[in-house]
Amino acid sequence: MIKEIVKDNFILAQKSTDASNDDLYIVDDLIDTIQENKERCVGMAANMIGYLKNIIIFQENNAYTVMINPHIIQTSKETYQTKEGCLSHDGQKDVVRYQKIKIEYLDIDMKKRIKTYSDYTAQIIQHEIDHCNGILI
């Protein structure tokens, strides 16, 4: 189901909790909502649509990747400063991002995965994990 984008900073500032099998219905809502906003959105966290669960989705190579309970287990030393926008906020904000990250997460079959990302995809993932941690972008 397509959900309305949350813009309430009180909700967005809350730290999300880990997701379980019982929360997998949220993935469908994330897919529907990101597809509805595909012209202006490349990533989304569950709290952006009202669920305080650690689930993110992002566009990668013309497909969507879902990560459940993602966390960064390693970062590069190299960082860069950039500006980011977000459907939950007006305007853009300056942020510092790691050039490369290694992520541990569960896929939609609840299987543990570890993968390394770099550049723009790494930036998107960091943005969405910030959402899960209640960090306002």
Side-chain angles (χ1 to χ4, degrees):
M1 174 183 292
I2 298 168
K3 296 290 196 171
E4 187 173 328
I5 303 299
V6 173
K7 295 183 183 270
D8 184 328
N9 284 348
F10 178 77
I11 294 169
L12 295 170
Q14 295 181 49
K15 190 172 171 97
S16 295
T17 59
D18 280 347
S20 69
N21 282 323
D22 294 336
D23 300 310
L24 290 178
Y25 69 94
I26 296 169
V27 171
D28 292 332
D29 290 349
L30 277 169
I31 291 169
D32 292 344
T33 306
I34 198 170
Q35 286 177 335
E36 177 69 15
N37 292 280
K38 66 184 173 191
E39 299 300 323
R40 57 192 185 118
C41 182
V42 293
M44 191 171 284
N47 71 340
M48 293 175 64
I49 59 171
Y51 301 108
L52 292 175
K53 292 294 179 176
N54 289 323
I55 306 173
I56 68 172
I57 187 171
F58 58 94
Q59 191 172 8
E60 177 186 28
N61 301 325
N62 296 322
Y64 292 110
T65 298
V66 172
M67 292 183 170
I68 300 166
N69 304 332
H71 61 277
I72 299 170
I73 58 174
Q74 188 175 353
T75 64
S76 63
K77 292 180 183 178
E78 300 83 18
T79 62
Y80 62 96
Q81 187 167 351
T82 188
K83 289 185 178 292
E84 292 180 355
C86 182
L87 290 179
S88 291
H89 304 288
D90 294 329
Q92 293 191 332
K93 297 188 179 176
D94 291 322
V95 294
V96 175
R97 296 295 183 203
Y98 293 104
Q99 188 72 37
K100 186 187 276 189
I101 56 174
K102 184 183 278 189
I103 303 290
E104 182 177 306
Y105 65 97
L106 301 174
D107 65 17
I108 58 172
D109 295 319
M110 300 301 279
K111 293 190 191 298
K112 181 179 168 183
R113 304 283 183 211
I114 296 175
K115 190 168 178 183
T116 300
Y117 292 90
S118 59
D119 304 318
Y120 188 56
T121 303
Q123 179 182 336
I124 297 166
I125 294 167
Q126 289 171 82
H127 179 106
E128 302 314 333
I129 288 176
D130 279 355
H131 270 293
C132 291
N133 290 323
I135 298 171
L136 300 175
I137 308 303

